Amino acid sequence: MSQSYDHLHAQSIEDPESFWGEAAEAIGWFKPWDTVLDPENSAFPRRWFRGAETNTCFNALDRHVASGRGEQVAIYYDSPITDTRRSITYAELLDQTARFAGVLQELGLTKGDRAIIYMPNIPETAVAMLACARIGAIHSVVFGGFAASELAVRIEDSGAKVIIAASCGIEPGRIVEYKPLLDGAIEISKHKPDHCVIIQREQSQASMIDGRDIDYHSAMQTAKPADCVSVSALDPLYILYTSGTTGQPKGVVRDTGGHMVALYWSMKHIYGIEPGETYWAASDVGWVVGHSYIVYAPLLYGASTVMFEGKPVGTPDAGVFWRIIQDYDVKALFTAPTAFRAIRRDDPQGKLIKTYDLSGFRTLFLAGERSDPDTIQWAEEQLDVPVIDHWWQTETGWSIAANYAGVEILPIKYGSPTKPAPGWNLCVLDEGGHEVEPGQIGALCAKLPLPPSSFPTLWNAHDRYLKAYFTVFPGYYETADAGFIDEDGYVFVMARTDDIINVAGHRLSTGAMEEVIASHQDVAECAVVGVADELKGQSPIGFIVLSAGVNRPHEEIQTECVQLIRKNIGPVAAFKTAIVVERLPKTRSGKVLRGAMQKIADSQTFKMPATIDDPIILEEIEEALKLAGYAKG
Ligand code: COA
Ligand code: AMP
């Protein structure tokens, strides 16, 4: 491949079969593909590498051990929160994974069965994911910050046969007992798993249910290693549930072949990493970034990955990222802008940065939310390396737009995640589906076909898949992000077009929060909007209208609504503010004017909608917001 971004991107659009066919040579296949990409007249969506057989775990572990990487560290586990560090070589990781795959097989888990993984950032989580991949089972990792009811939805929808969980997660100042949450979730779920494998952590011993629960460490002692099962390139590797526009999350399905090809390509060309080097994604395995860039991409590529159980600040201080970069000779770090805002808040002069040797560090990557230019510039000045913003979604599994550390770093324009990744034929459409002029805002869309790794369906919900992403603009994938592309081809992602908000890089649905608040007995109606937050980018606030005749103190009801969200969605929602108001502003047709409320809270000017029913209500909302510390003018 020629080493210019323009050339690579043009080739990927003009001749996707050659581009991805060549990229796929880096992967080990048990059987070659019949076609790189389904022909144009085939069923929707067109699939990559049909006919091929392979195994993701084989590519991530066995292949490297066979080629002499056995003694190289695969995972550096660094947990300042438990004061633990461990290095696991590829040979050790293969041994543990093969044995755990044997445990899962003994429990009856076979190809195509689902397993839920409810675990913190510990190496056993990677072992569990890879073990599922090894036997062709489909894993679904659930982030630890979700409540039992969210876990229950995922158990039920996936129909998981086995659940793999740790006894606890650890947050600063508190132990999060997973087992009671898990038991509660199984009780709520109509579908019951056959077995739960529990990893007892020394910080908390979970009580076990006889016959159903199995102790991980005991099972591993007697386990027989399992071999890799050959699966189709089209078979699902995992389901990852993400917020949709209703309380029912979307089960994003990732396939096997295209996923490996795209991730492998990205390690070299986007992240500029060589096999054997250390790469660190400071995210959580429960998110897509954790799936792709803590576990799969670095291991497929033969790099060493860092599994970090801690926070950017407070574990113990804002220097922890620099300590890890120094200790493991990290070449590239991938994290969310929020993490950098937190570090900057605690160490504005970057004094801690100067106490570590970061001479081996080459590039910082940010994603998950819009990178504000201020944060990027601060990071550039402090670290003296390129800071690359890149844009992606759970649905895609890798970048939609990025800069290319392994090809050429294109000049950076602050506020832009630079240019489309290979295979992404991006454009901006107006409401009528027409391409707009450069610089004009509209719906960011991608001309089909989507590149490898993009989701082929939503689990149990193919109609929702078609309706949510491909119906408004036929022939395009609707990203649900609004933005523009400038005259130089730089992409700018400005806001979501749906009710999704981004809180500390975590994707949350305000619609789902509204469903929860509406279930409160005293609430007649409500609206949740995401307002600007200096640290987390956005944070949710709720407006509540009480049912007629309710005369309990407002503070009481507000507190109950905050607790209800924590109980039903989880602490990760970071929902701390509910405000009782007399009425919600609406259009004459009854549509709640959430955008206007958000702008008032953020003290932004806005155009009074011509269709507003009663403008006075917005003044009432402003008063209520001022009392709650927002709308400062
Ligand atoms: N298990 C259980 N609870 C969790 C959790 C987990 N895995 N992760 C977060 N939580 C809880 C937190 O304890 C907190 O609870 P609290 O309300 O009782 O304090 C709540 O969820 C919100 O957590 P968080 O978003 O982490 O906010 P914070 O105020 O604790 O920390 C930052 C602020 C900036 C340090 C933190 O948000 C951060 O590290 N951000 C980087 C985000 C990131 O890496 N995103 C990945 C996308 S690439
Ligand atoms: P998730 O599916 O959790 O990865 O969230 C995806 C959403 O996060 C996108 O649709 C965007 O709204 C937002 N996002 C991710 N990366 C960026 C970025 N670099 N710039 C702006 N928004 C981003």
Side-chain angles (χ1 to χ4, degrees), residues 120 143-146 169 171-172 174 176 178 282-284 287 289 310-313 334-336 338-339 342 345 367-369 503-506 535-536 566 570-574 576:
F143 176 64
F146 282 124
E171 284 292 291
R174 79 190 158 105
V176 184
Y178 281 3
S283 178
D284 187 286
W287 304 118
V289 173
K311 301 270 175 178
V313 292
F334 176 176
T335 189
T338 301
R345 187 190 57 187
E369 58 182 312
V503 182
H506 306 322
L535 176 66
K536 298 190 175 188
R566 196 174 170 93
V572 67
K576 311 261 186 213

mmCIF file of all heavy atoms in Angstrom, residues 120 143-146 169 171-172 174 176 178 282-284 287 289 310-313 334-336 338-339 342 345 367-369 503-506 535-536 566 570-574 576, ligand 1:
data_model
loop_
_atom_site.group_PDB
_atom_site.id
_atom_site.type_symbol
_atom_site.label_atom_id
_atom_site.label_comp_id
_atom_site.label_asym_id
_atom_site.label_seq_id
_atom_site.Cartn_x
_atom_site.Cartn_y
_atom_site.Cartn_z
ATOM 1 N N PRO A 120 -15.022 -6.120 36.114
ATOM 2 C CA PRO A 120 -14.225 -4.889 36.043
ATOM 3 C C PRO A 120 -13.004 -5.071 35.137
ATOM 4 O O PRO A 120 -12.851 -6.125 34.499
ATOM 5 C CB PRO A 120 -13.798 -4.685 37.500
ATOM 6 C CG PRO A 120 -13.741 -6.069 38.064
ATOM 7 C CD PRO A 120 -14.747 -6.900 37.314
ATOM 8 N N PHE A 143 -21.010 -3.287 31.374
ATOM 9 C CA PHE A 143 -20.233 -2.337 32.176
ATOM 10 C C PHE A 143 -20.688 -2.384 33.635
ATOM 11 O O PHE A 143 -21.881 -2.429 33.931
ATOM 12 C CB PHE A 143 -20.449 -0.935 31.580
ATOM 13 C CG PHE A 143 -19.786 0.165 32.338
ATOM 14 C CD1 PHE A 143 -18.405 0.220 32.437
ATOM 15 C CD2 PHE A 143 -20.540 1.162 32.951
ATOM 16 C CE1 PHE A 143 -17.786 1.252 33.130
ATOM 17 C CE2 PHE A 143 -19.929 2.201 33.636
ATOM 18 C CZ PHE A 143 -18.547 2.241 33.736
ATOM 19 N N GLY A 144 -19.707 -2.346 34.546
ATOM 20 C CA GLY A 144 -19.993 -2.497 35.977
ATOM 21 C C GLY A 144 -20.793 -1.362 36.594
ATOM 22 O O GLY A 144 -21.351 -1.523 37.680
ATOM 23 N N GLY A 145 -20.862 -0.221 35.932
ATOM 24 C CA GLY A 145 -21.573 0.920 36.518
ATOM 25 C C GLY A 145 -23.071 0.903 36.266
ATOM 26 O O GLY A 145 -23.771 1.836 36.624
ATOM 27 N N PHE A 146 -23.557 -0.182 35.603
ATOM 28 C CA PHE A 146 -24.995 -0.275 35.362
ATOM 29 C C PHE A 146 -25.698 -0.952 36.536
ATOM 30 O O PHE A 146 -25.131 -1.803 37.221
ATOM 31 C CB PHE A 146 -25.274 -1.082 34.087
ATOM 32 C CG PHE A 146 -25.060 -0.298 32.818
ATOM 33 C CD1 PHE A 146 -24.194 -0.753 31.843
ATOM 34 C CD2 PHE A 146 -25.735 0.890 32.595
ATOM 35 C CE1 PHE A 146 -23.986 -0.044 30.669
ATOM 36 C CE2 PHE A 146 -25.540 1.613 31.425
ATOM 37 C CZ PHE A 146 -24.669 1.149 30.466
ATOM 38 N N GLY A 169 -16.428 -4.938 41.917
ATOM 39 C CA GLY A 169 -15.598 -3.941 41.255
ATOM 40 C C GLY A 169 -15.155 -2.970 42.340
ATOM 41 O O GLY A 169 -15.705 -2.987 43.447
ATOM 42 N N GLU A 171 -14.448 1.063 43.143
ATOM 43 C CA GLU A 171 -14.480 2.477 42.801
ATOM 44 C C GLU A 171 -13.797 3.225 43.937
ATOM 45 O O GLU A 171 -13.747 2.711 45.067
ATOM 46 C CB GLU A 171 -15.932 2.943 42.672
ATOM 47 C CG GLU A 171 -16.608 2.517 41.388
ATOM 48 C CD GLU A 171 -16.015 3.210 40.175
ATOM 49 O OE1 GLU A 171 -16.183 4.416 40.008
ATOM 50 O OE2 GLU A 171 -15.345 2.518 39.377
ATOM 51 N N PRO A 172 -13.273 4.421 43.663
ATOM 52 C CA PRO A 172 -12.608 5.141 44.747
ATOM 53 C C PRO A 172 -13.511 5.235 45.980
ATOM 54 O O PRO A 172 -14.650 5.678 45.886
ATOM 55 C CB PRO A 172 -12.353 6.525 44.141
ATOM 56 C CG PRO A 172 -12.286 6.276 42.663
ATOM 57 C CD PRO A 172 -13.232 5.151 42.400
ATOM 58 N N ARG A 174 -15.127 2.988 47.578
ATOM 59 C CA ARG A 174 -16.190 1.999 47.825
ATOM 60 C C ARG A 174 -15.995 0.753 46.975
ATOM 61 O O ARG A 174 -15.427 0.807 45.884
ATOM 62 C CB ARG A 174 -17.568 2.601 47.595
ATOM 63 C CG ARG A 174 -17.984 2.714 46.165
ATOM 64 C CD ARG A 174 -19.243 3.543 46.025
ATOM 65 N NE ARG A 174 -19.305 4.043 44.652
ATOM 66 C CZ ARG A 174 -20.102 3.572 43.718
ATOM 67 N NH1 ARG A 174 -20.944 2.613 43.996
ATOM 68 N NH2 ARG A 174 -20.082 4.051 42.495
ATOM 69 N N VAL A 176 -17.869 -2.065 44.933
ATOM 70 C CA VAL A 176 -19.165 -2.286 44.289
ATOM 71 C C VAL A 176 -19.401 -3.794 44.267
ATOM 72 O O VAL A 176 -18.744 -4.523 43.523
ATOM 73 C CB VAL A 176 -19.170 -1.732 42.842
ATOM 74 C CG1 VAL A 176 -20.545 -1.875 42.211
ATOM 75 C CG2 VAL A 176 -18.704 -0.284 42.815
ATOM 76 N N TYR A 178 -20.722 -6.875 43.090
ATOM 77 C CA TYR A 178 -21.409 -7.267 41.853
ATOM 78 C C TYR A 178 -22.423 -8.396 42.075
ATOM 79 O O TYR A 178 -23.415 -8.492 41.392
ATOM 80 C CB TYR A 178 -20.396 -7.771 40.808
ATOM 81 C CG TYR A 178 -19.643 -6.693 40.056
ATOM 82 C CD1 TYR A 178 -19.804 -5.353 40.330
ATOM 83 C CD2 TYR A 178 -18.751 -7.046 39.041
ATOM 84 C CE1 TYR A 178 -19.100 -4.383 39.631
ATOM 85 C CE2 TYR A 178 -18.045 -6.092 38.327
ATOM 86 C CZ TYR A 178 -18.227 -4.755 38.630
ATOM 87 O OH TYR A 178 -17.532 -3.806 37.931
ATOM 88 N N ALA A 282 -7.000 3.678 27.880
ATOM 89 C CA ALA A 282 -7.446 3.867 29.269
ATOM 90 C C ALA A 282 -8.960 4.032 29.269
ATOM 91 O O ALA A 282 -9.481 5.127 29.450
ATOM 92 C CB ALA A 282 -6.764 5.093 29.868
ATOM 93 N N SER A 283 -9.627 2.929 29.031
ATOM 94 C CA SER A 283 -11.081 2.929 29.012
ATOM 95 C C SER A 283 -11.522 1.772 29.902
ATOM 96 O O SER A 283 -10.738 1.271 30.706
ATOM 97 C CB SER A 283 -11.551 2.745 27.567
ATOM 98 O OG SER A 283 -12.944 2.684 27.491
ATOM 99 N N ASP A 284 -12.752 1.352 29.747
ATOM 100 C CA ASP A 284 -13.242 0.198 30.507
ATOM 101 C C ASP A 284 -13.637 -0.869 29.496
ATOM 102 O O ASP A 284 -14.215 -0.551 28.450
ATOM 103 C CB ASP A 284 -14.459 0.625 31.339
ATOM 104 C CG ASP A 284 -14.915 -0.475 32.293
ATOM 105 O OD1 ASP A 284 -15.519 -1.480 31.822
ATOM 106 O OD2 ASP A 284 -14.662 -0.336 33.504
ATOM 107 N N TRP A 287 -16.986 -0.903 27.548
ATOM 108 C CA TRP A 287 -17.333 -0.028 26.421
ATOM 109 C C TRP A 287 -16.678 -0.554 25.146
ATOM 110 O O TRP A 287 -15.729 -1.334 25.199
ATOM 111 C CB TRP A 287 -16.856 1.405 26.670
ATOM 112 C CG TRP A 287 -17.358 2.009 27.942
ATOM 113 C CD1 TRP A 287 -16.597 2.438 28.987
ATOM 114 C CD2 TRP A 287 -18.720 2.242 28.342
ATOM 115 N NE1 TRP A 287 -17.400 2.930 29.986
ATOM 116 C CE2 TRP A 287 -18.709 2.829 29.615
ATOM 117 C CE3 TRP A 287 -19.963 2.020 27.720
ATOM 118 C CZ2 TRP A 287 -19.869 3.193 30.293
ATOM 119 C CZ3 TRP A 287 -21.126 2.383 28.401
ATOM 120 C CH2 TRP A 287 -21.066 2.960 29.666
ATOM 121 N N VAL A 289 -14.622 0.908 23.187
ATOM 122 C CA VAL A 289 -13.186 1.211 23.131
ATOM 123 C C VAL A 289 -12.400 0.119 23.859
ATOM 124 O O VAL A 289 -11.329 -0.309 23.416
ATOM 125 C CB VAL A 289 -12.895 2.598 23.763
ATOM 126 C CG1 VAL A 289 -11.402 2.839 23.875
ATOM 127 C CG2 VAL A 289 -13.554 3.695 22.944
ATOM 128 N N GLY A 310 -8.347 1.901 37.501
ATOM 129 C CA GLY A 310 -8.165 3.113 38.293
ATOM 130 C C GLY A 310 -8.805 4.270 37.573
ATOM 131 O O GLY A 310 -9.537 4.098 36.603
ATOM 132 N N LYS A 311 -8.535 5.463 38.043
ATOM 133 C CA LYS A 311 -9.105 6.674 37.449
ATOM 134 C C LYS A 311 -7.952 7.602 37.073
ATOM 135 O O LYS A 311 -6.856 7.491 37.636
ATOM 136 C CB LYS A 311 -9.996 7.393 38.466
ATOM 137 C CG LYS A 311 -11.146 6.569 38.994
ATOM 138 C CD LYS A 311 -12.386 6.728 38.149
ATOM 139 C CE LYS A 311 -13.480 5.798 38.645
ATOM 140 N NZ LYS A 311 -14.709 5.912 37.920
ATOM 141 N N PRO A 312 -8.191 8.536 36.180
ATOM 142 C CA PRO A 312 -7.092 9.442 35.795
ATOM 143 C C PRO A 312 -6.642 10.353 36.935
ATOM 144 O O PRO A 312 -5.527 10.862 36.912
ATOM 145 C CB PRO A 312 -7.685 10.265 34.645
ATOM 146 C CG PRO A 312 -9.155 10.025 34.672
ATOM 147 C CD PRO A 312 -9.413 8.746 35.387
ATOM 148 N N VAL A 313 -7.519 10.553 37.895
ATOM 149 C CA VAL A 313 -7.145 11.370 39.068
ATOM 150 C C VAL A 313 -7.588 10.632 40.330
ATOM 151 O O VAL A 313 -8.526 9.843 40.291
ATOM 152 C CB VAL A 313 -7.838 12.759 39.031
ATOM 153 C CG1 VAL A 313 -7.308 13.608 37.889
ATOM 154 C CG2 VAL A 313 -9.359 12.624 38.926
ATOM 155 N N PHE A 334 -4.786 6.029 24.389
ATOM 156 C CA PHE A 334 -6.107 6.363 23.858
ATOM 157 C C PHE A 334 -7.031 6.549 25.051
ATOM 158 O O PHE A 334 -7.205 5.640 25.849
ATOM 159 C CB PHE A 334 -6.563 5.199 22.979
ATOM 160 C CG PHE A 334 -7.956 5.298 22.402
ATOM 161 C CD1 PHE A 334 -8.398 4.324 21.524
ATOM 162 C CD2 PHE A 334 -8.823 6.334 22.704
ATOM 163 C CE1 PHE A 334 -9.663 4.368 20.965
ATOM 164 C CE2 PHE A 334 -10.089 6.401 22.164
ATOM 165 C CZ PHE A 334 -10.509 5.419 21.300
ATOM 166 N N THR A 335 -7.597 7.753 25.189
ATOM 167 C CA THR A 335 -8.527 7.974 26.295
ATOM 168 C C THR A 335 -9.572 9.009 25.895
ATOM 169 O O THR A 335 -9.605 9.455 24.747
ATOM 170 C CB THR A 335 -7.762 8.374 27.576
ATOM 171 O OG1 THR A 335 -8.667 8.369 28.687
ATOM 172 C CG2 THR A 335 -7.126 9.745 27.474
ATOM 173 N N ALA A 336 -10.434 9.357 26.841
ATOM 174 C CA ALA A 336 -11.495 10.334 26.554
ATOM 175 C C ALA A 336 -11.039 11.728 26.987
ATOM 176 O O ALA A 336 -10.295 11.858 27.961
ATOM 177 C CB ALA A 336 -12.758 9.926 27.308
ATOM 178 N N THR A 338 -12.518 13.812 28.669
ATOM 179 C CA THR A 338 -12.874 14.015 30.086
ATOM 180 C C THR A 338 -11.704 13.679 31.003
ATOM 181 O O THR A 338 -11.473 14.369 32.006
ATOM 182 C CB THR A 338 -14.052 13.091 30.465
ATOM 183 O OG1 THR A 338 -15.133 13.411 29.628
ATOM 184 C CG2 THR A 338 -14.446 13.251 31.905
ATOM 185 N N ALA A 339 -10.997 12.615 30.683
ATOM 186 C CA ALA A 339 -9.873 12.212 31.535
ATOM 187 C C ALA A 339 -8.833 13.334 31.567
ATOM 188 O O ALA A 339 -8.274 13.651 32.627
ATOM 189 C CB ALA A 339 -9.264 10.918 31.002
ATOM 190 N N ALA A 342 -9.994 16.213 33.670
ATOM 191 C CA ALA A 342 -9.834 15.911 35.098
ATOM 192 C C ALA A 342 -8.373 16.091 35.526
ATOM 193 O O ALA A 342 -8.078 16.674 36.576
ATOM 194 C CB ALA A 342 -10.303 14.482 35.372
ATOM 195 N N ARG A 345 -7.504 19.764 35.653
ATOM 196 C CA ARG A 345 -8.104 20.425 36.816
ATOM 197 C C ARG A 345 -7.223 20.233 38.057
ATOM 198 O O ARG A 345 -6.997 21.142 38.843
ATOM 199 C CB ARG A 345 -9.499 19.819 37.060
ATOM 200 C CG ARG A 345 -10.320 20.513 38.122
ATOM 201 C CD ARG A 345 -11.559 19.704 38.452
ATOM 202 N NE ARG A 345 -11.193 18.347 38.881
ATOM 203 C CZ ARG A 345 -12.052 17.371 39.115
ATOM 204 N NH1 ARG A 345 -13.331 17.578 38.941
ATOM 205 N NH2 ARG A 345 -11.652 16.165 39.499
ATOM 206 N N ALA A 367 -11.075 10.229 22.052
ATOM 207 C CA ALA A 367 -12.371 9.945 21.394
ATOM 208 C C ALA A 367 -13.433 9.730 22.446
ATOM 209 O O ALA A 367 -13.151 9.721 23.638
ATOM 210 C CB ALA A 367 -12.279 8.718 20.498
ATOM 211 N N GLY A 368 -14.641 9.506 21.973
ATOM 212 C CA GLY A 368 -15.753 9.195 22.870
ATOM 213 C C GLY A 368 -16.687 10.366 23.035
ATOM 214 O O GLY A 368 -17.846 10.214 23.405
ATOM 215 N N GLU A 369 -16.202 11.553 22.790
ATOM 216 C CA GLU A 369 -16.991 12.773 22.900
ATOM 217 C C GLU A 369 -16.214 13.832 22.126
ATOM 218 O O GLU A 369 -15.051 13.617 21.756
ATOM 219 C CB GLU A 369 -17.121 13.186 24.368
ATOM 220 C CG GLU A 369 -15.758 13.382 24.997
ATOM 221 C CD GLU A 369 -15.760 13.755 26.470
ATOM 222 O OE1 GLU A 369 -16.505 14.665 26.846
ATOM 223 O OE2 GLU A 369 -14.989 13.139 27.222
ATOM 224 N N VAL A 503 -21.793 11.561 28.665
ATOM 225 C CA VAL A 503 -21.412 12.010 30.006
ATOM 226 C C VAL A 503 -20.082 11.351 30.350
ATOM 227 O O VAL A 503 -20.024 10.127 30.485
ATOM 228 C CB VAL A 503 -22.496 11.624 31.039
ATOM 229 C CG1 VAL A 503 -22.119 12.137 32.427
ATOM 230 C CG2 VAL A 503 -23.851 12.166 30.618
ATOM 231 N N ALA A 504 -19.036 12.126 30.440
ATOM 232 C CA ALA A 504 -17.692 11.595 30.703
ATOM 233 C C ALA A 504 -17.338 10.509 29.682
ATOM 234 O O ALA A 504 -16.749 9.480 30.031
ATOM 235 C CB ALA A 504 -17.584 11.047 32.135
ATOM 236 N N GLY A 505 -17.721 10.731 28.429
ATOM 237 C CA GLY A 505 -17.414 9.749 27.384
ATOM 238 C C GLY A 505 -18.334 8.535 27.423
ATOM 239 O O GLY A 505 -18.174 7.615 26.640
ATOM 240 N N HIS A 506 -19.302 8.530 28.339
ATOM 241 C CA HIS A 506 -20.241 7.410 28.419
ATOM 242 C C HIS A 506 -21.520 7.788 27.674
ATOM 243 O O HIS A 506 -22.069 8.862 27.876
ATOM 244 C CB HIS A 506 -20.606 7.080 29.871
ATOM 245 C CG HIS A 506 -19.423 6.841 30.756
ATOM 246 N ND1 HIS A 506 -18.297 6.179 30.337
ATOM 247 C CD2 HIS A 506 -19.188 7.180 32.042
ATOM 248 C CE1 HIS A 506 -17.424 6.117 31.333
ATOM 249 N NE2 HIS A 506 -17.928 6.718 32.374
ATOM 250 N N LEU A 535 -16.362 19.373 33.380
ATOM 251 C CA LEU A 535 -15.517 18.191 33.474
ATOM 252 C C LEU A 535 -15.995 17.077 32.535
ATOM 253 O O LEU A 535 -15.221 16.535 31.748
ATOM 254 C CB LEU A 535 -15.514 17.676 34.923
ATOM 255 C CG LEU A 535 -14.751 16.378 35.158
ATOM 256 C CD1 LEU A 535 -13.260 16.567 34.923
ATOM 257 C CD2 LEU A 535 -15.008 15.837 36.561
ATOM 258 N N LYS A 536 -17.286 16.760 32.627
ATOM 259 C CA LYS A 536 -17.782 15.564 31.925
ATOM 260 C C LYS A 536 -18.310 15.836 30.526
ATOM 261 O O LYS A 536 -18.848 14.945 29.883
ATOM 262 C CB LYS A 536 -18.873 14.897 32.767
ATOM 263 C CG LYS A 536 -18.331 14.429 34.121
ATOM 264 C CD LYS A 536 -19.296 13.570 34.869
ATOM 265 C CE LYS A 536 -18.627 13.047 36.132
ATOM 266 N NZ LYS A 536 -19.408 12.061 36.840
ATOM 267 N N ARG A 566 -30.464 6.122 39.685
ATOM 268 C CA ARG A 566 -29.294 5.371 40.154
ATOM 269 C C ARG A 566 -29.646 3.896 40.304
ATOM 270 O O ARG A 566 -28.867 3.020 39.948
ATOM 271 C CB ARG A 566 -28.823 5.964 41.490
ATOM 272 C CG ARG A 566 -27.433 5.542 41.879
ATOM 273 C CD ARG A 566 -26.967 6.285 43.127
ATOM 274 N NE ARG A 566 -25.734 5.702 43.617
ATOM 275 C CZ ARG A 566 -24.525 6.132 43.274
ATOM 276 N NH1 ARG A 566 -24.378 7.150 42.489
ATOM 277 N NH2 ARG A 566 -23.447 5.525 43.743
ATOM 278 N N GLY A 570 -28.183 3.192 36.880
ATOM 279 C CA GLY A 570 -26.889 2.961 37.517
ATOM 280 C C GLY A 570 -26.174 4.263 37.816
ATOM 281 O O GLY A 570 -26.538 5.320 37.277
ATOM 282 N N PRO A 571 -25.135 4.193 38.646
ATOM 283 C CA PRO A 571 -24.400 5.407 39.007
ATOM 284 C C PRO A 571 -23.770 6.079 37.792
ATOM 285 O O PRO A 571 -23.581 7.292 37.771
ATOM 286 C CB PRO A 571 -23.327 4.922 39.981
ATOM 287 C CG PRO A 571 -23.303 3.441 39.883
ATOM 288 C CD PRO A 571 -24.633 3.010 39.373
ATOM 289 N N VAL A 572 -23.463 5.287 36.756
ATOM 290 C CA VAL A 572 -22.784 5.839 35.585
ATOM 291 C C VAL A 572 -23.610 6.938 34.907
ATOM 292 O O VAL A 572 -23.059 7.813 34.232
ATOM 293 C CB VAL A 572 -22.427 4.712 34.590
ATOM 294 C CG1 VAL A 572 -23.678 4.094 33.984
ATOM 295 C CG2 VAL A 572 -21.499 5.196 33.515
ATOM 296 N N ALA A 573 -24.916 6.943 35.117
ATOM 297 C CA ALA A 573 -25.755 7.984 34.509
ATOM 298 C C ALA A 573 -25.407 9.357 35.067
ATOM 299 O O ALA A 573 -25.694 10.374 34.438
ATOM 300 C CB ALA A 573 -27.228 7.683 34.741
ATOM 301 N N ALA A 574 -24.786 9.393 36.258
ATOM 302 C CA ALA A 574 -24.375 10.651 36.902
ATOM 303 C C ALA A 574 -25.541 11.641 36.919
ATOM 304 O O ALA A 574 -25.373 12.835 36.663
ATOM 305 C CB ALA A 574 -23.149 11.240 36.195
ATOM 306 N N LYS A 576 -27.797 13.829 38.842
ATOM 307 C CA LYS A 576 -27.760 14.402 40.193
ATOM 308 C C LYS A 576 -28.799 15.506 40.378
ATOM 309 O O LYS A 576 -29.011 15.965 41.480
ATOM 310 C CB LYS A 576 -26.367 15.018 40.483
ATOM 311 C CG LYS A 576 -25.177 14.115 40.146
ATOM 312 C CD LYS A 576 -24.632 13.417 41.369
ATOM 313 C CE LYS A 576 -23.372 12.657 41.000
ATOM 314 N NZ LYS A 576 -23.115 11.467 41.682
HETATM 315 N N1 COA B 1 -18.607 0.184 38.345
HETATM 316 C C1 COA B 1 -19.413 0.768 39.247
HETATM 317 N N2 COA B 1 -19.624 2.086 39.333
HETATM 318 C C2 COA B 1 -18.990 2.859 38.452
HETATM 319 C C3 COA B 1 -18.127 2.342 37.464
HETATM 320 C C4 COA B 1 -17.945 0.932 37.438
HETATM 321 N N3 COA B 1 -17.189 0.344 36.522
HETATM 322 N N4 COA B 1 -17.628 3.353 36.736
HETATM 323 C C5 COA B 1 -18.156 4.489 37.236
HETATM 324 N N5 COA B 1 -18.961 4.184 38.287
HETATM 325 C C6 COA B 1 -19.705 5.126 39.127
HETATM 326 C C7 COA B 1 -18.743 6.036 39.851
HETATM 327 O O1 COA B 1 -18.293 5.471 41.062
HETATM 328 C C8 COA B 1 -19.619 7.259 40.090
HETATM 329 O O2 COA B 1 -20.460 6.960 41.170
HETATM 330 P P1 COA B 1 -20.836 8.059 42.304
HETATM 331 O O3 COA B 1 -21.963 8.833 41.702
HETATM 332 O O4 COA B 1 -21.228 7.234 43.465
HETATM 333 O O5 COA B 1 -19.617 8.887 42.542
HETATM 334 C C9 COA B 1 -20.501 7.306 38.834
HETATM 335 O O6 COA B 1 -20.492 5.977 38.310
HETATM 336 C C10 COA B 1 -19.997 8.251 37.769
HETATM 337 O O7 COA B 1 -18.677 7.806 37.429
HETATM 338 P P2 COA B 1 -17.629 8.576 36.513
HETATM 339 O O8 COA B 1 -18.264 8.939 35.220
HETATM 340 O O9 COA B 1 -16.391 7.760 36.446
HETATM 341 O O10 COA B 1 -17.406 9.949 37.241
HETATM 342 P P3 COA B 1 -16.454 10.300 38.460
HETATM 343 O O11 COA B 1 -16.953 11.627 38.933
HETATM 344 O O12 COA B 1 -16.375 9.184 39.426
HETATM 345 O O13 COA B 1 -15.025 10.470 37.769
HETATM 346 C C11 COA B 1 -13.657 11.079 35.855
HETATM 347 C C12 COA B 1 -14.770 11.509 36.829
HETATM 348 C C13 COA B 1 -13.417 12.181 34.869
HETATM 349 C C14 COA B 1 -12.418 10.779 36.632
HETATM 350 C C15 COA B 1 -14.147 9.826 35.119
HETATM 351 O O14 COA B 1 -15.389 10.099 34.530
HETATM 352 C C16 COA B 1 -13.201 9.314 34.046
HETATM 353 O O15 COA B 1 -12.238 8.644 34.300
HETATM 354 N N6 COA B 1 -13.525 9.563 32.793
HETATM 355 C C17 COA B 1 -12.854 8.999 31.638
HETATM 356 C C18 COA B 1 -13.946 8.319 30.872
HETATM 357 C C19 COA B 1 -13.522 7.226 29.965
HETATM 358 O O16 COA B 1 -12.447 6.700 30.005
HETATM 359 N N7 COA B 1 -14.482 6.871 29.098
HETATM 360 C C20 COA B 1 -14.332 5.788 28.196
HETATM 361 C C21 COA B 1 -14.747 6.152 26.814
HETATM 362 S S1 COA B 1 -13.352 6.146 25.745
#
